[in-house]
Amino acid sequence: MPADPTLILDVPAAIRETVACSRDAGRPLQLRRPAPFPVAVIGPPGSGKTTILRALHGGQVPRDGLMSEWNARLVEYPALERAADLRGVSYAGLWRDQVGVLYVLPSRGLNDEDEQALEILRARNVIALENIRDSELHPARASLVLLERPEIGCPFTVPIAPLMAQYSATAMPQAERRLLRHCVAFLRNATLPDGYVPALHEQAMTAREAMRADIEDQWRQVLVLARSPAHISRIDGVRLLLDLLEDCRVSAAFDARLTELIGLLERGGSASSARLLREQAQAAADRYNIEAGHRPAPAAARLTSGAGHSLDHGAEGGATDFGARYVQERQQLLGFLGNVLAQRSQLRLINEEQQSIERLVLKVDEDNIDIALLGRFSSGKSSVINALLGAPIDDRNPALLPTDVRPETSTVNRVCYSANGEVAIEWLARAEVTFATQTSEPGQLRLHGDEIRSFQTWLASGQVADEHVTFTPLPDSFGDYDRSHLPREADQRTAFDAVWQDLGFPDGPRFVYAGNHTDNPKLPDPWFPASATIDPLPEAGTSLRAGAQRAEVFAAVKKDASLALLIDRLNIGFDHRLLRHASFIDTPGTDAPIPHHRRVAQDIVRQQNCPVIYCFLGDRPGGMEDTRNLRILRDWGIGSTNLNRFFFVITMKHNVADDSRETVRDYVRHCLREIGISEPPLYFVDVVHYPDDEEFRALKADVERFINMSRSELFGSWLAQARAIVTEARARSVRQLEDDAKDELQRARRIAVLQRQRAAIEDLAGEHVNSTRWGAPWARGRVESVLAGKAGEVTSVIDGLTARRAFDDVQARLSDALAELNRSTRATLTTIHTGLLGRLQSAVAEIRPGTSIYVSKVTIDTDLFPGTAILEATRNLYWRNIFKRGFQRVFGGEDFNADIGRNSEKTAQPWRKSRESGTTQANSLIDESVKDMKAELNRIYASVKAELERACSLAAEWLSRLDALGRQAEGSS
């Protein structure tokens, strides 16, 4: 049986169990116990440091962290939010001599801060522990593999599952305890190569020699007494011989233990320890993979039937009913329009009307709303999309988007409709490729190896020529280099080649340092570019251009970073009926390893202004990256406008203990309140078991309701267009009947109809002037509402000028508020004019088909609320210095802070004039519009006859069906 390398940890206790080598000698052999070996346990928030230590100690962690049986002291340090904190006072103990480090990682992998932290700890002996949660072990998960980390002391990550379902909820299983002992043994060997092991070796050799010398001494006494002729001596010799036999038997096991220990210490070195630890780590990974295969699959992974994924995504109920109501209304409208086209001859549609209906069909069928998923990498964005669309969970063979506990999304993926699951690739024409970014540590650069390797490949293959590249130099703040002149493109290209060659790429370091920094390696050439803009980008190979399957595409872009950099978007086809009218955009994490992907994740939302589902990681919410993202969302207006288009989701509920979930929820609420959202709707979901998760069902219902409401206005416009076309066909039939009528009775009836129509026009004119639902009062109310809200924002800015520092950025804030006020007022006036005119046109078309209303468009050439005087006032503020204010307060009686009031009033006065002028102009424009429309109503006459029985009856039937569909859509929204 091979020797246990962790024997060197607890050998003193083992020796004490078998110390007796002679009952008469009275001097038991013991080894001196060295001082406990200090081991620092650090890691990011929520990585599982405390969980591992509690499980290791069986529930309660000793105050001093002492593991007496291992002769080690495991000390948990505060959660590491930023790598730069390692240089702070809280982590001062890390930099003492002879300290080993256990860096605990969540199973999602390393982000930028983890990478930088390991770089800072490069001078220490470090083992990266990958904390595997018990809930992550299931058959749908991809196999666990060791992550190679050649730049740190232990060149691979060690997986450990401190708590498993079949063991105690507080105690660590024995196999995991042994694995952790191997880690501490490795750190001790690497940290104290000339201390602990040689001392133990010397003590063990001395103990064995002393024990053997004692046995030999007893044997010599037996031989001496055996030669004595005296009888008593012969009896003493027998007694001594029996004692010697007993001592040899007792000492045999002890001698074997010492011999084994000595052999281990003689063979044991850092390389041997690393090899043995790798074997144990691989054995743990194999054990976890086997354990995952034995467990029942999550409910979400059992949605498939038979081999492969054969879900009926169009069926009612269950996990696939997402968006059913919205889809049904769209499909019903498409059916109505199709039947109108089928009966175009009976309805007597002319060519222009038929073409209008056909264009409307295309518009209804192709209209789409995009919903983006945003968050850190491995925060569950892809899993949320899979769950919303009812796709089963299977890391090995995903039915839709690939998911894993490690980051999977390396491109922007737009999930859209396709009956065959096709993948369409949109390629970038140009892009900025980032080679290096400056970290929070002065003089340190993070090198982005994937982008450097990709760029070098393109250059070497001739896919990119020098004239297609524009370099951006490093920031002036990096190092103490002479940057009195800008580098030439050729200088930066030469510097790039120097970095490639001197730093050993393609397997170069992750970090480099300025020449004045104490750490290595140094940046070979200060003109190394920070990034390069490539225009045009090289073309990708033909392997993914035609007919590539979804799994093949995902595997290719994950494996080849250069390919991922060329892709603008992957359009992932999936057969779900909602995807005919809505798409989901799965973005890479905003802290994804490649900077290009981080920019894409934010740009896709900012450019398209689409709804957002933001995902927080349940066991690690609200870190620095989430904080940065929420601030960006705040800058986009969240908290003051359009809040209903944001959905905040906390994922991984199955990884959070029941008694900790409300704490997590409260913390996320606190983070959202920081950006101005007081009562945010939160969904704490379990996408692994989503068919049984109540909050996930609520999320689905609210997203579906949002889609319905956001498209209700557009749906109403489609109904209005269809109504107008059918109404025109009906009017034309009526006019045809009128032309055919010749007798007196028909003319009399025609006069009666004209009289009714004139009365209807008069009623319509009265409604136009007096109706609060759609007429002039309604229009004025809409303008007043908009002015009250947007002008109130300007007033709020001015009213907030109650302190000196409030004036610092007042010009920019007032400029933005005035621009938004003028834009909103202009848009509202145009919308009101169009709405009133459309309502009149529709009503007149019903009363007198073929009659048109001619009213000029509302034209607004200048800003209704001029801001020149206001902004000029903010540029000419008067501030007394503190001495003058103090003097005047004492001797002149003027208030110390009077400048604030004067400057505030100086700004408010032109605003009051601008507001009064703009409000007057807006009301004047509304009055002009109402006056013109009323004049048109007074000009209209009615000239129709009775309905053409069959054609008019058919048209009325379609109108009633469209009205019914409209009422249904209004009710569902």
Side-chain angles (χ1 to χ4, degrees), residues 113-265:
E113 294 296 331
D114 295 325
E115 294 274 7
Q116 188 177 349
L118 291 177
E119 170 66 14
I120 293 174
L121 294 170
R122 191 157 51 95
R124 305 278 86 184
N125 288 298
V126 182
I127 290 179
L129 281 180
E130 186 178 7
N131 182 23
I132 309 299
R133 300 180 186 275
D134 183 72
S135 58
E136 294 170 349
L137 300 180
H138 54 75
R141 176 186 170 173
S143 297
L144 179 68
V145 296
L146 304 186
L147 296 177
E148 298 299 325
R149 303 298 308 174
E151 75 281 3
I152 61 176
C154 179
F156 52 88
T157 58
V158 177
I160 185 168
L163 298 175
M164 299 183 69
Q166 64 268 44
Y167 296 98
S168 167
T170 58
M172 181 178 291
Q174 287 302 316
E176 277 62 37
R177 286 177 61 87
R178 287 195 299 272
L179 179 59
L180 203 55
R181 286 172 59 185
H182 276 271
C183 293
V184 176
F186 173 87
L187 290 175
R188 190 194 301 272
N189 280 357
T191 306
L192 307 171
D194 301 323
Y196 188 76
V197 172
L200 271 183
H201 182 270
E202 181 180 353
Q203 292 182 54
M205 291 287 290
T206 301
R208 188 174 65 175
E209 293 302 323
M211 181 186 65
R212 290 180 177 179
D214 184 68
I215 296 295
E216 290 177 359
D217 182 61
Q218 291 184 66
W219 177 244
R220 282 192 299 270
Q221 292 183 40
V222 169
L223 291 178
V224 170
L225 291 175
R227 297 189 187 98
S228 175
H231 179 73
I232 186 63
S233 297
R234 287 194 298 272
I235 293 176
D236 290 341
V238 171
R239 181 179 58 79
L240 288 175
L241 181 60
L242 291 175
D243 288 345
L244 176 61
L245 290 174
E246 177 64 17
D247 284 349
C248 288
R249 184 187 64 78
V250 171
S251 302
F254 184 52
D255 181 66
R257 188 81 178 266
L258 281 174
T259 301
E260 181 184 28
L261 174 62
I262 291 169
L264 176 64
L265 294 173

Side-chain angles (χ1 to χ4, degrees), residues 258-425:
L258 281 174
T259 301
E260 181 184 28
L261 174 62
I262 291 169
L264 176 64
L265 294 173
E266 289 175 345
R267 298 190 308 271
S270 59
S272 175
S273 297
R275 177 180 56 79
L276 291 171
L277 181 57
R278 181 183 285 274
E279 292 175 359
Q280 294 299 315
Q282 187 59 59
D286 294 341
R287 188 168 67 252
Y288 298 147
N289 288 330
I290 293 172
E291 173 66 23
H294 290 167
R295 296 187 175 187
R302 298 194 296 268
L303 294 176
T304 182
S305 59
H309 306 290
S310 54
L311 287 172
D312 178 12
H313 298 290
E316 293 289 343
T320 61
D321 63 349
F322 181 49
R325 183 185 304 167
Y326 176 67
V327 173
Q328 181 181 15
E329 292 169 358
R330 294 276 292 267
Q331 296 297 86
Q332 287 175 345
L333 178 57
L334 287 172
F336 284 142
L337 296 175
N339 286 331
V340 169
L341 288 174
Q343 299 183 7
R344 56 186 176 274
S345 59
Q346 295 94 319
L347 287 169
R348 300 185 181 184
L349 297 181
I350 60 177
N351 289 337
E352 290 79 3
E353 292 168 340
Q354 179 180 335
Q355 293 170 3
S356 296
I357 291 288
E358 291 171 346
R359 286 193 297 270
L360 184 57
V361 168
L362 291 176
K363 188 182 300 183
V364 174
D365 191 44
E366 294 177 357
D367 177 71
N368 205 287
I369 179 174
D370 285 333
I371 301 175
L373 279 290
L374 195 67
R376 300 157 60 189
F377 79 81
S378 289
S379 58
K381 301 182 295 298
S382 300
S383 297
V384 168
I385 293 177
N386 288 344
L388 286 174
L389 298 177
I393 293 176
D394 190 342
D395 291 349
R396 295 179 177 85
N397 185 25
L400 181 52
L401 296 173
T403 56
D404 196 354
V405 291
R406 297 198 177 108
E408 284 288 337
T409 305
S410 55
T411 55
V412 173
N413 301 326
R414 183 173 182 265
V415 182
C416 50
Y417 178 76
S418 171
N420 302 320
E422 299 170 345
V423 177
I425 304 175

Side-chain angles (χ1 to χ4, degrees), residues 32 208 228 270 321 333 399 436 438 474 500 563 589 591 795 907 965 970 973:
R32 295 188 304 275
R208 188 174 65 175
S228 175
S270 59
D321 63 349
L333 178 57
Q438 194 169 0
L474 291 171
W500 178 269
L563 182 61
D591 57 345
T795 302
T907 307
L965 181 57
E970 291 174 1
S973 62

Side-chain angles (χ1 to χ4, degrees), residues 784-811:
E784 291 174 0
S785 175
V786 171
L787 292 181
K790 297 300 179 180
E793 294 179 7
V794 180
T795 302
S796 176
V797 172
I798 295 175
D799 291 343
L801 300 177
T802 58
R804 172 65 180 86
R805 62 176 177 272
F807 288 81
D808 291 344
D809 60 343
V810 66
Q811 186 173 355

Side-chain angles (χ1 to χ4, degrees), residues 41-50 76-83 91 102-111 113-114 117-118 129 133 376 619-620:
V41 182
I42 63 177
S47 58
K49 304 180 296 299
T50 304
E76 180 184 4
Y77 278 76
L80 187 63
E81 284 278 6
R82 300 182 308 151
Y91 296 87
L102 288 176
Y103 193 95
V104 183
L105 291 167
S107 56
R108 73 189 183 101
L110 283 76
N111 62 14
E113 294 296 331
D114 295 325
L118 291 177
L129 281 180
R133 300 180 186 275
R376 300 157 60 189
D619 49 4
R620 292 177 295 280

